[in-house]
Amino acid sequence: MKQYGYFDDDVREFVITDPATPWPWINYLGCEDFFSLVSNTAGGYCFCKDAKFRRILRYRYNGVPMDSGGRYYYIKDGDSVWNPGWKPCKTPLDRYECRHGMGYTRIIGEKGGLRCEVLFFVPQGGRCEVHRVRLTNTGAAVKRVQLWSFVEWCLWNASTDMENFQRNLSTGEVEVGDRILYHKTEYRERRDHYAFFGVNRPFDGFDTDRETFLGPYNGFDTPQQVFAGTSDNSVAHGWSPVASHRFDLTLEAGKSEELIFVLGYVENPPEAKFSALGIINKAPAEELLEAFGTPAKADAAFAALKGYWDGLLGRFQLESAVPELDRTVNIWNQYQCMVTFFMSRSASYFESGIGRGMGFRDSNQDLAGIVHLIPDRARQRILDIAATQFPDGGCYHQYQPLTKRGNHDIGGGFGDDPLWLIFGTVAYIKETGDFSILEEKVPFDNQPGTEKTLLEHLKISFARVADNLGPHGLPLIGRADWNDCLNLNCFSDNPDESFQTTENKTEGSRAESLMIAGLFVAEGKDFAELLSQPAVSADPAYVDEVREAVSRMETAVKQHGWDGEWFLRAYDYYGRKIGSSENAESKIFIESQGWCGMARIGADEGLCDKALDAASKYLECEYGLVLNAPAFSSYIKDYGEISSYPQGYKENGGIFCHNNPWVIIAEAMAGRADDAWRHYCKISPAFAKDQSLRKVEPYVFCQMVAGAEAAHPGEGKNSWLTGTAAWTWKTVSEFILGIKPQYDGLLVEPCIPQHIGSYRVRRRFREAEYDLTIRLTGKGGSFRIPYRPGFQALEIEL
Ligand code: GLC
Ligand code: GLC
């Protein structure tokens, strides 16, 4: 089994030792509004605030060779030309190592007695990437070497940058300073922002025109200037602007040279855009370079970043007998939750950053992964999301991070969306105790004058689902529910239309969703509990109404949603069952087992246990639980996109990891620790043995792993940006380790196999800090810790 790297938990890094990973293994930099994607060979791009509208570096999706474009450093040492990250030249290195850490990536390449180490990070409070490049002559003789930097600019809008060449090839503009190369395309007109690539000392040459640097018809692997040992000092006018600095260096034996590059983004106020006609105001760029442009300053910024992450991750730390579990909980799961919160589903190596912004349901679910880390940002996110709701309780399915406005192309009409606002808000208040958020005034569809309190938004969300029931008293599905691909009102036979946006037939629809039914019951109970808190003082008659609606739904599910061995998935447009033993294919689906199980519908009658047994029996394979089985073998117009995928992939029989935690939580709620643990380990990357098979990063969860019916079961895809991160966090922290935030304190209620023995959790909770040692004695039960600020160490036997 070929391995490409290993975990170095002491420093919270994953170390890649072979650059030719089966797929680029990336990391994210930035935690405010400047973000970068950086692969193990320094590929990727950065943007400020919005991956579509403020793209700084150009990136070619699905390029050949894979992962082309990034921040490349070229070294010419005699006849040898190489890159510390191996790509793009792919010259064999004597040594290569890439360390992806919390908000930084360090790449080290060594060849012929020369070592080049590049540390990439986005400092806090700076809209820039810092590249700290250190060259060391490890040999015994003096070396004369040359170093080139290289990035290619994107003309801001990542979408039109890839399309509108009749314009783009004429608009590119740059300016050149003695240390900084500026990219100012469209700054002459409506933009008040530019980008720059600077370095902390004067360079020996530069290029800003791509073809001049690379040579026409050359790739990034054969830049003609580098091979010739020159720069042309080219100034780009149109075509494709780039930035490359050249340095001619002499390195004494055993000595190092360090250069600090800053790749940044600047916004100027309209009145201070120019310093002279057509000349950009460069002061902010110079300041930014100045701020990080000495080793001492770069050190300090890097130390501050490390301190930030240490502080954050320190809020929940586990010591157990299972290193894979500790690693996941203490490092990578929390880290992935942060990244997913920042990016939603916009920018990854599977999401282009131009298609989707922030998802309504996605971002609400992401909150569950970060409320304990960055509660203030969670608060703001909830208010932003709520402002994209319509007065009738529906909501935009997605919104754009730059404008925070709903996305008209996709619109609304997804039956489950409104309920997630309750989910996100409850998670936030349970963690923080901040009931004041319910009183915040939030507009509808961002229209001034339409403001109502967040609590009113929640009521309208609840009513939206409660009042839109089908013939069986179950929630109408609309365009789709959580499963974007179960399109029961779509009936598309035109390959040129998108399942996501095409007009739906709603007249006469009877399509209902058991997934939403379960979600409604679970969130309805949560909502009633919230309303009953003394701080909320809701009208008791209204709380009763909520409870009654929930109880009617439970009855409806038991009457019309039970198939005998498991919960049905849906009723289609014509009122026919989906996910039933009566169906020829896809007799059982995961979502309704998870949600009805979490809602504990029919638990007393044994329905939850049966449904969970069925999930294990029919959906479980070596790598996790598949979404549906048997997968659809052909396209079914009445069901839509779900049946468009080949068997075993994505929503058609893939292990859609996002929904595995629902079953795991339901298992935990049913007290079935061994089943919960087994399912958890299967989808957790830290337990996966075969890096080649999994293909994508071994340190993060995937949206999807190919299922049992796939051609290549076990192959991971769509890594990083997935609801799996927040849901596995909730699962492991609250349901397996059993540390559950409540309005009035913590409830300790683990569901973990006996053999794990005891474990210790140190957890910050509001103004309290708990040091909990939990000993599993087999007696079970739970332990309540009323909230009180300050430090408490407790030993708990359960
Ligand atoms: C993707 C979407 C999410 C959806 C899921 C299932 O992960 O981001 O909104 O629920 O797919 O279709
Ligand atoms: C596709 C994907 C689904 C995703 C949706 C988002 O349908 O299969 O996972 O949620 O696109 O637009």
Side-chain angles (χ1 to χ4, degrees):
M1 230 182 289
K2 183 162 169 42
Q3 298 297 84
Y4 296 84
Y6 62 92
F7 290 95
D8 189 348
D9 294 341
D10 291 341
V11 285
R12 300 197 177 113
E13 292 175 344
F14 187 86
V15 189
I16 301 164
T17 48
D18 180 342
T21 50
W23 182 259
W25 287 359
I26 74 165
N27 193 13
Y28 285 83
L29 316 179
C31 34
E32 287 155 354
D33 62 6
F34 186 104
F35 298 105
S36 306
L37 289 73
V38 54
S39 73
N40 57 310
T41 58
Y45 59 89
C46 51
F47 61 92
C48 190
K49 292 182 231 173
D50 192 305
K52 176 175 179 179
F53 291 120
R54 296 287 181 275
R55 184 75 64 96
I56 296 165
L57 296 188
R58 182 173 281 168
Y59 190 76
R60 289 169 184 75
Y61 313 97
N62 202 8
V64 177
M66 275 200 298
D67 191 24
S68 286
R71 326 88 182 129
Y72 293 138
Y73 289 93
Y74 295 90
I75 289 164
K76 186 166 191 296
D77 180 6
D79 287 339
S80 161
V81 171
W82 55 277
N83 311 98
W86 181 60
K87 261 173 70 64
C89 293
K90 297 203 291 182
T91 309
L93 300 174
D94 299 342
R95 175 177 169 229
Y96 157 92
E97 189 177 272
C98 167
R99 290 180 166 261
H100 285 316
M102 307 287 103
Y104 67 91
T105 287
R106 193 191 299 274
I107 294 178
I108 303 169
E110 223 171 298
K111 189 170 180 66
L114 184 67
R115 179 165 66 227
C116 179
E117 178 178 337
V118 189
L119 170 66
F120 299 93
F121 67 99
V122 170
Q124 293 189 285
R127 287 179 170 170
C128 60
E129 287 179 8
V130 174
H131 306 170
R132 197 168 167 174
V133 181
R134 177 183 256 261
L135 281 164
T136 306
N137 179 356
T138 62
V142 171
K143 265 188 182 294
R144 274 175 240 294
V145 299
Q146 290 177 297
L147 174 81
W148 288 257
S149 68
F150 176 79
V151 298
E152 181 179 7
W153 302 114
C154 177
L155 308 189
W156 302 115
N157 179 326
S159 174
T160 57
D161 183 64
M162 288 289 156
E163 292 165 3
N164 194 4
F165 303 110
Q166 62 80 24
R167 170 179 164 85
N168 297 347
L169 296 177
S170 294
T171 54
E173 287 192 296
V174 301
E175 282 187 42
V176 175
D178 66 345
R179 296 180 309 163
I180 307 184
L181 304 170
Y182 299 89
H183 174 229
K184 62 168 189 177
T185 300
E186 291 184 348
Y187 191 81
R188 59 167 51 241
E189 31 126 349
R190 294 157 298 173
R191 294 191 186 276
D192 56 10
H193 45 263
Y194 63 80
F196 68 91
F197 194 21
V199 54
N200 65 340
R201 62 160 98 165
F203 41 75
D204 297 309
F206 69 92
D207 274 293
T208 65
D209 177 68
R210 188 182 69 194
E211 268 62 55
T212 307
F213 178 73
L214 295 179
Y217 301 103
N218 283 5
F220 297 130
D221 59 337
T222 48
Q224 90 181 356
Q225 297 298 339
V226 174
F227 280 83
T230 55
S231 301
D232 196 68
N233 298 347
S234 58
V235 177
H237 297 281
W239 305 110
S240 292
V242 300
S244 168
H245 314 86
R246 190 192 87 243
F247 295 90
D248 304 330
L249 304 166
T250 302
L251 288 168
E252 302 296 331
K255 290 278 184 281
S256 298
E257 281 274 0
E258 190 166 315
L259 295 95
I260 297 169
F261 292 84
V262 174
L263 173 65
Y265 169 90
V266 164
E267 276 172 14
N268 277 330
E271 65 285 0
K273 275 182 74 165
F274 298 102
S275 61
L277 182 65
I279 304 299
I280 61 179
N281 170 5
K282 302 187 178 64
E286 282 159 3
E287 278 163 29
L288 210 45
L289 175 57
E290 195 56 34
F292 305 106
T294 67
K297 289 176 186 171
D299 269 347
F302 187 57
L305 181 70
K306 288 206 108 177
Y308 171 75
W309 280 104
D310 288 347
L312 272 188
L313 301 181
R315 298 180 72 89
F316 195 119
Q317 286 292 302
L318 166 73
E319 283 167 37
S320 80
V322 187
E324 293 88 348
L325 183 65
D326 288 10
R327 162 182 305 154
T328 308
V329 168
N330 296 337
I331 309 172
W332 293 98
N333 194 177
Q334 295 196 73
Y335 184 59
Q336 188 178 0
C337 285
M338 288 284 283
V339 170
T340 317
F341 170 79
F342 297 142
M343 300 288 125
S344 192
R345 307 296 172 270
S346 69
S348 76
Y349 270 28
F350 296 87
E351 299 280 6
S352 65
I354 57 184
R356 308 158 72 188
M358 318 296 281
F360 191 97
R361 76 158 85 86
D362 295 331
S363 289
N364 271 306
Q365 292 171 81
D366 293 345
L367 291 168
I370 55 89
V371 282
H372 70 296
L373 298 174
I374 44 170
D376 297 346
R377 295 189 62 181
R379 190 180 207 274
Q380 187 56 51
R381 178 66 59 80
I382 292 171
L383 301 176
D384 289 347
I385 296 173
T388 65
Q389 189 168 30
F390 302 119
D392 68 1
C395 40
Y396 283 104
H397 196 48
Q398 291 161 10
Y399 71 95
Q400 205 57 38
L402 186 69
T403 60
K404 297 189 176 174
R405 295 291 190 272
N407 175 343
H408 289 282
D409 295 343
I410 179 144
F414 292 76
D416 62 316
D417 272 342
L419 291 172
W420 296 110
L421 189 60
I422 299 179
F423 172 88
T425 307
V426 165
Y428 169 77
I429 301 179
K430 282 195 169 169
E431 179 68 36
T432 59
D434 172 21
F435 288 93
S436 75
I437 192 173
L438 295 173
E439 298 310 313
E440 291 286 343
K441 293 269 185 16
V442 187
F444 290 91
D445 192 8
N446 280 291
Q447 296 307 310
T450 62
E451 290 79 2
K452 286 206 169 126
T453 63
L454 179 64
L455 183 60
E456 286 301 320
H457 278 262
L458 299 187
K459 290 183 178 172
I460 294 167
S461 298
F462 186 78
R464 169 79 183 181
V465 179
D467 298 344
N468 281 285
L469 306 180
H472 301 95
L474 299 166
L476 290 174
I477 196 168
R479 262 180 198 289
D481 59 22
W482 169 85
N483 190 332
D484 270 334
C485 298
L486 190 61
N487 314 124
L488 304 182
N489 299 307
C490 178
F491 305 105
S492 180
D493 47 18
N494 175 0
D496 301 324
E497 67 191 12
S498 149
F499 290 101
Q500 302 291 318
T501 54
T502 182
E503 200 54 42
N504 265 0
K505 199 162 137 191
T506 46
E507 207 57 15
S509 172
R510 283 180 274 166
E512 299 167 285
S513 159
L514 267 302
M515 180 268 155
I516 307 181
L519 177 68
F520 180 83
V521 172
E523 292 319 305
K525 287 180 183 170
D526 279 355
F527 189 37
E529 189 197 6
L530 172 69
L531 294 167
S532 312
Q533 297 307 304
V536 183
S537 67
D539 175 4
Y542 176 69
V543 185
D544 285 345
E545 259 176 54
V546 169
R547 292 218 168 91
E548 279 155 24
V550 165
S551 137
R552 281 196 301 278
M553 188 67 73
E554 288 178 299
T555 308
V557 171
K558 285 193 258 182
Q559 268 179 6
H560 303 293
W562 182 250
D563 195 56
E565 223 185 316
W566 56 77
F567 293 101
L568 290 177
R569 177 62 177 85
Y571 284 96
D572 73 7
Y573 181 90
Y574 306 100
R576 297 172 307 198
K577 291 176 184 172
I578 299 181
S580 160
S581 55
E582 292 168 17
N583 296 119
E585 293 180 330
S586 295
K587 293 168 183 288
I588 172 170
F589 285 71
I590 197 169
E591 301 99 319
S592 41
Q593 318 318 321
W595 274 104
C596 296
M598 283 195 281
R600 305 289 292 149
I601 300 176
D604 295 342
E605 298 98 306
L607 303 194
C608 294
D609 284 330
K610 279 189 195 158
L612 293 169
D613 288 341
S616 296
K617 185 165 170 200
Y618 301 107
L619 300 175
E620 185 173 347
C621 71
E622 200 182 336
Y623 308 100
L625 297 152
V626 300
L627 191 147
N628 52 314
F632 295 108
S633 56
S634 55
Y635 178 59
I636 301 174
K637 189 174 156 181
D638 297 352
Y639 296 173
E641 186 170 1
I642 188 166
S643 56
S644 72
Y645 286 110
Q647 290 107 295
Y649 294 96
K650 291 283 281 182
E651 282 92 337
N652 188 24
I655 299 156
F656 211 96
C657 300
H658 187 152
N659 53 40
N660 276 233
W662 301 342
V663 168
I664 304 171
I665 292 176
E667 292 280 13
M669 292 175 91
R672 301 162 36 132
D674 292 330
D675 293 299
W677 179 251
R678 187 181 72 251
H679 293 316
Y680 174 76
C681 294
K682 284 191 175 181
I683 57 160
S684 297
F687 292 95
K689 297 277 174 296
D690 189 340
Q691 294 179 350
S692 303
L693 171 66
R694 186 178 163 86
K695 214 162 168 168
V696 295
E697 296 89 339
Y699 38 92
V700 289
F701 288 93
C702 298
Q703 180 207 62
M704 195 235 7
V705 173
E709 294 184 69
H712 301 288
E715 205 177 65
K717 283 192 189 133
N718 302 32
S719 52
W720 281 102
L721 304 187
T722 159
T724 314
W727 275 105
T728 48
W729 175 254
K730 195 174 173 67
T731 301
V732 73
S733 64
E734 295 183 30
F735 291 91
I736 293 180
L737 301 171
I739 316 291
K740 302 181 180 177
Q742 306 285 296
Y743 294 110
D744 57 358
L746 290 179
L747 179 67
V748 182
E749 194 174 33
C751 184
I752 188 165
Q754 197 63 35
H755 67 82
I756 292 176
S758 64
Y759 55 94
R760 177 178 177 203
V761 171
R762 276 166 295 159
R763 195 203 199 279
R764 286 290 302 260
F765 180 63
R766 304 179 198 167
E767 297 306 312
E769 198 170 334
Y770 297 104
D771 186 343
L772 309 174
T773 302
I774 295 154
R775 284 187 220 297
L776 304 174
T777 60
K779 75 173 190 241
S782 61
F783 184 87
R784 201 167 269 286
I785 311 174
Y787 172 66
R788 109 172 123 69
F791 177 79
Q792 271 191 73
L794 293 166
E795 302 220 356
I796 302 167
E797 292 199 348
L798 290 169

